[in-house]
C-alpha cells in the first residue's frame, strides 16, 4: 500500500469520525420527530443524495453489477441490517437524552474493531499498541462497572457498527456504490413507513414547519457523507487503525453531552475518558514517529 493511499485513508477516516462526533447536534435539532420517522427519512433521502454525489464526482454507477454478484449483494444485505439498526439505536438515544450512552458505545466499538482485525484478518499489533488497547479497555470497563446496569445502548451500538465495518472491508465494492445499494435495499421499507405515517397524519414531515422539513431532507447528507468517507478509509488503512480513529467521535459526543447538553459527568466517567485518551496517545506514538522520520529518509537518498 502506497504512502499516498494510506494518507488519504487517514484523512477520510478523520473526516468521517469528526462528522459523526458532531451529529448529535443535528439529532437534537429534530428531536421533536420520532426516531422511526427520522430513520425513514435518513434512508429515503440518502438514495438521491448518494446518486447526486456520484454524478458530481463522476463515479461509475455499478448497481446492476452489484445485484448480480450474489456474494457482494448478500454481504450488503447483512451490512444494511446492521447499519440500519445502528442508526435507529443512535437516533433514539440522542433524542432521549442518552448522548453519554452513545459515547460509551463508540468507545467500546474500537476495541471490537481491533479484535476483529487481529482475530479474522491477521492484523498485527506492537507491544505499544497492545498497551494502548489495555488502557482503552480499562476505561471502557470502568464505564461499564459504574453504569450499575447492562449498558444495552452502548453494547448494541458497538456490536452493530463493529460488525458493519468488518463486513464492508471484506466486500469487493467501492464506498459509493456500496452505500447506494445498501440504502436501495432499505428504501422500500423506509419510504413506505414515511408515506404511511403521512397518510395517517402521524408525520412531522410536511405537518410541523419548513425548518423540520429541510432538516429531515438534510438527513440524507448527514447519513451519506460520513459513511462514504468511512468506507473509503476502511479500504485504505488497517482495521486496527480505523478502530483507534473511532475514539474521535465518542470523545466529541462526550464533550457535547456534558458541556452543551448538561448531561451529568461524575468522577468515574472522567476517569474512563482519561484512560481512553491515554490509550489513543500510546497508539499514535508510532504513526507520529513515521511522519517525522520519512522526510529525513527521503533527503538522505538524494
Amino acid at each position: 500500500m502506497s504512502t499516498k493511499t494510506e494518507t488519504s485513508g487517514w484523512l477520510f477516516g478523520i473526516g468521517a469520525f469528526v462528522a459523526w462526533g458532531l451529529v448529535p447536534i443535528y439529532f437534537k435539532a429534530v428531536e421533536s420527530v420520532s426516531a422511526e420517522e427520522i430513520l425513514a427519512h435518513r434512508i429515503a433521502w440518502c438514495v438521491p443524495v448518494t446518486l447526486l454525489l456520484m454524478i458530481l464526482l463522476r463515479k461509475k454507477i455499478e448497481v446492476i453489477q452489484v445485484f448480480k454478484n450474489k456474494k457482494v449483494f448478500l454481504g450488503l444485505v447483512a451490512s444494511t441490517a446492521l447499519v440500519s439498526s445502528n442508526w435507529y439505536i443512535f437516533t433514539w438515544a440522542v433524542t432521549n437524552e442518552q448522548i453519554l450512552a452513545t459515547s460509551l458505545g463508540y468507545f467500546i466499538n474500537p476495541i471490537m474493531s481491533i479484535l476483529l482485525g487481529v482475530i479474522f484478518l491477521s492484523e498485527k499489533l506492537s507491544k505499544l499498541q497492545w498497551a494502548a488497547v489495555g488502557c482503552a479497555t480499562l476505561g471502557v470497563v470502568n464505564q461499564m462497572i459504574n453504569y450499575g446496569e447492562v449498558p444495552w445502548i452502548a453494547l448494541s451500538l458497538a456490536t452493530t457498527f463493529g460488525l458493519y465495518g468488518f463486513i464492508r472491508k471484506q466486500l469487493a465494492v467501492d464506498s459509493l456504490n456500496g452505500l447506494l445499494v445498501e440504502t436501495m435495499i432499505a428504501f422500500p421499507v423506509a419510504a413506505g413507513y414515511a408515506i404511511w405515517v403521512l397518510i395517517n397524519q402521524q408525520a412531522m414531515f410536511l405537518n410541523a414547519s419548513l425548518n423540520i422539513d429541510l432538516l429531515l431532507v438534510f438527513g440524507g447528507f448527514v447519513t451519506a457523507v460520513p459513511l462514504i468517507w468511512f468506507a473509503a478509509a476502511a479500504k485504505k488503512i488497517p482495521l486496527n487503525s480505523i478502530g483507534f480513529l473511532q475514539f474521535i467521535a465518542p470523545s466529541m459526543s462526550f464533550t457535547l453531552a456534558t458541556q452543551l447538553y448538561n448531561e451529568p459527568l461524575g468522577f468515574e466517567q472522567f476517569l474512563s475518558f482519561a484512560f481512553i485518551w491515554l490509550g489513543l496517545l500510546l497508539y499514535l506514538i508510532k504513526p507520529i514517529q513515521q511522519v517525522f522520520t520519512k522526510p529525513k529518509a527521503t533527503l538522505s537518498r538524494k
Side-chain angles (χ1 to χ4, degrees):
M1 184 180 293
S2 69
T3 302
K4 185 177 180 181
T5 298
E6 189 169 350
T7 300
S8 67
W10 279 91
L11 292 175
F12 278 127
I14 292 170
F17 291 110
V18 167
W20 277 321
L22 294 172
V23 84
I25 297 173
Y26 167 79
F27 289 112
K28 279 292 185 179
V30 293
E31 64 180 348
S32 60
V33 184
S34 71
E36 293 82 5
E37 188 176 358
I38 294 172
L39 177 61
H41 281 278
R42 286 184 71 182
I43 294 171
W45 292 110
C46 192
V47 174
V49 166
T50 305
L51 280 170
L52 176 62
L53 289 173
M54 293 183 76
I55 292 171
L56 292 175
L57 295 172
R58 297 181 180 179
K59 295 290 185 180
K60 185 179 180 181
I61 298 173
E62 300 177 335
V63 172
I64 296 176
Q65 293 92 318
V66 171
F67 274 89
K68 288 181 177 179
N69 188 321
K70 186 177 180 180
K71 181 180 178 180
V72 173
F73 176 71
L74 291 177
L76 288 173
V77 170
S79 66
T80 298
L82 288 165
V83 79
S84 297
S85 300
N86 182 273
W87 291 343
Y88 176 74
I89 296 165
F90 183 86
T91 303
W92 184 92
V94 173
T95 55
N96 283 273
E97 317 298 330
Q98 295 288 330
I99 298 177
L100 278 177
T102 69
S103 177
L104 175 60
Y106 289 116
F107 278 138
I108 298 172
N109 185 49
I111 295 173
M112 181 170 292
S113 295
I114 291 166
L115 293 177
L116 287 170
V118 171
I119 294 170
F120 295 106
L121 304 180
S122 300
E123 294 181 354
K124 304 296 182 181
L125 296 180
S126 66
K127 291 181 180 180
L128 193 62
Q129 290 169 331
W130 276 117
V133 171
C135 287
T137 302
L138 284 175
V140 170
V141 170
N142 180 66
Q143 279 281 71
M144 293 178 68
I145 291 173
N146 286 287
Y147 252 66
E149 60 182 12
V150 176
W152 70 268
I153 293 173
L155 292 175
S156 298
L157 288 173
T159 301
T160 53
F161 199 73
L163 289 172
Y164 172 76
F166 178 75
I167 289 174
R168 280 301 305 267
K169 189 174 179 67
Q170 312 308 308
L171 300 179
V173 59
D174 66 87
S175 57
L176 282 163
N177 278 290
L179 177 60
L180 180 59
V181 172
E182 284 174 336
T183 49
M184 287 178 69
I185 291 169
F187 181 84
V189 176
Y193 179 83
I195 293 170
W196 183 80
V197 293
L198 189 62
I199 292 174
N200 286 275
Q201 299 182 340
Q202 298 174 7
M204 293 291 287
F205 186 68
L206 299 180
N207 288 313
S209 66
L210 179 60
N211 184 51
I212 291 294
D213 295 344
L214 292 175
L215 283 171
L216 288 174
V217 173
F218 185 67
F221 290 93
V222 171
T223 301
V225 174
L227 263 176
I228 291 168
W229 289 344
F230 169 77
K235 292 288 186 181
K236 296 173 183 289
I237 58 178
L239 195 60
N240 58 66
S241 297
I242 287 287
F244 273 90
L245 281 180
Q246 289 174 29
F247 283 120
I248 295 172
S251 297
M252 294 176 68
S253 296
F254 191 90
T255 303
L256 287 173
T258 55
Q259 302 303 312
L260 184 60
Y261 299 118
N262 299 315
E263 292 189 18
L265 170 64
F267 174 75
E268 294 84 2
Q269 288 87 353
F270 180 79
L271 185 61
S272 293
F273 193 68
F275 272 126
I276 290 164
W277 274 104
L278 176 59
L280 177 61
L281 179 62
L282 288 172
Y283 178 79
L284 289 176
I285 288 176
K286 186 176 180 180
I288 290 172
Q289 288 177 334
Q290 290 176 338
V291 168
F292 285 100
T293 56
K294 282 182 180 180
K296 293 180 182 179
T298 301
L299 288 173
S300 66
R301 288 196 297 267
K302 287 184 178 180

